[in-house]
Amino acid sequence: MKIKEFGKTRVGHSFRKRLVSIPYGKSKVIKPRNISSDRALALEESDFIRSDTRMLSPLKAGDVLIVNKGRFAAAVFDFPDEDTWIVPSSIIVLTITDSNILPAYITLYMNSARGQRQFQKLNEVSTVPFVSITNLREMDIPIPPLEKQNLLVNLGTANRRYTELTMKKRSLINNILNNELR
């Protein structure tokens, strides 16, 4: 199923100047570096920028954020609505309009090897590779039944957690070895 058949896409805000954090800005800005290829949205208080810029449609929980310049990665925005969050134009926002499609499944697919191959087919090359919003709308994603989507998302989450814990264990063992070998 093509993205244009189950969702609406829009480009983030085009900032005219370099982004500089304003201490009491009205909006928080998610940057491309906050979106990892393992479907995670990494945001800590020190990691985002506050801005006075307001977008007509700020992010809502369940929106899929797609980095579309230089590298291709997707994550689901799932922060509380108490803050106004926006993104720059290097991120495409996909709002899924079909209740039978999970945003987490779409990000799982886009970050998979098969999804990355589709991005490579759709990308346009300038100085930096990018996917236009028109091409992204034509991306064809296989949509299994909702139960299978849930199963795949849970499996992907377990895999990501396993990888995190394995890396943490490796780091702890290295620290023990380094400490003992001093």
Side-chain angles (χ1 to χ4, degrees):
M1 183 181 275
K2 293 185 187 291
I3 287 179
K4 67 182 178 183
E5 296 170 4
F6 64 79
K8 294 181 180 179
T9 53
R10 66 184 188 277
V11 178
H13 183 73
S14 293
F15 291 94
R16 299 286 180 220
K17 298 186 239 175
R18 181 175 178 265
L19 274 172
V20 179
S21 193
I22 298 169
Y24 298 102
K26 299 174 185 109
S27 303
K28 294 179 180 179
V29 181
I30 296 175
K31 298 170 284 192
R33 74 173 184 208
N34 300 124
I35 300 171
S36 70
S37 58
D38 68 353
R39 304 175 332 184
L41 194 53
L43 287 174
E44 294 180 20
E45 196 67 31
S46 62
D47 206 25
F48 60 82
I49 292 177
R50 286 191 170 276
S51 172
D52 274 339
T53 306
R54 287 250 189 223
M55 282 181 63
L56 293 176
S57 47
L59 299 177
K60 292 184 175 35
D63 282 346
V64 176
L65 308 179
I66 305 160
V67 177
N68 71 326
K69 288 186 180 147
R71 66 184 178 92
F72 307 107
V76 177
F77 176 77
D78 57 359
F79 292 111
D81 287 335
E82 58 204 34
D83 291 314
T84 302
W85 292 87
I86 62 175
V87 293
S89 61
S90 56
I91 297 176
I92 294 175
V93 180
L94 168 62
T95 303
I96 297 174
T97 56
D98 186 335
S99 61
N100 292 316
I101 300 174
L102 298 174
Y105 170 76
I106 298 301
T107 61
L108 179 69
Y109 179 83
M110 288 182 168
N111 291 327
S112 72
R114 190 170 174 193
Q116 291 297 304
R117 280 193 300 273
Q118 280 208 38
F119 275 121
Q120 295 306 319
K121 288 178 188 174
L122 296 173
N123 82 19
E124 299 177 31
V125 180
S126 62
T127 316
V128 176
F130 72 97
V131 172
S132 69
I133 198 163
T134 306
N135 286 350
L136 184 72
R137 288 178 182 143
E138 295 298 320
M139 184 182 228
D140 198 17
I141 298 178
I143 307 295
L146 201 51
E147 282 181 19
K148 188 169 183 182
Q149 289 179 51
N150 270 317
L151 180 67
L152 291 169
V153 167
N154 290 337
L155 185 60
T157 302
N159 187 40
R160 183 176 69 207
R161 183 73 177 136
Y162 175 79
T163 302
E164 289 170 359
L165 291 173
T166 302
M167 288 172 53
K168 193 172 189 176
K169 179 180 175 183
R170 183 175 173 220
S171 175
L172 287 170
I173 291 171
N174 279 337
N175 288 342
I176 291 169
L177 284 171
N178 289 334
N179 194 32
E180 290 298 319
L181 295 173
R182 266 201 267 172

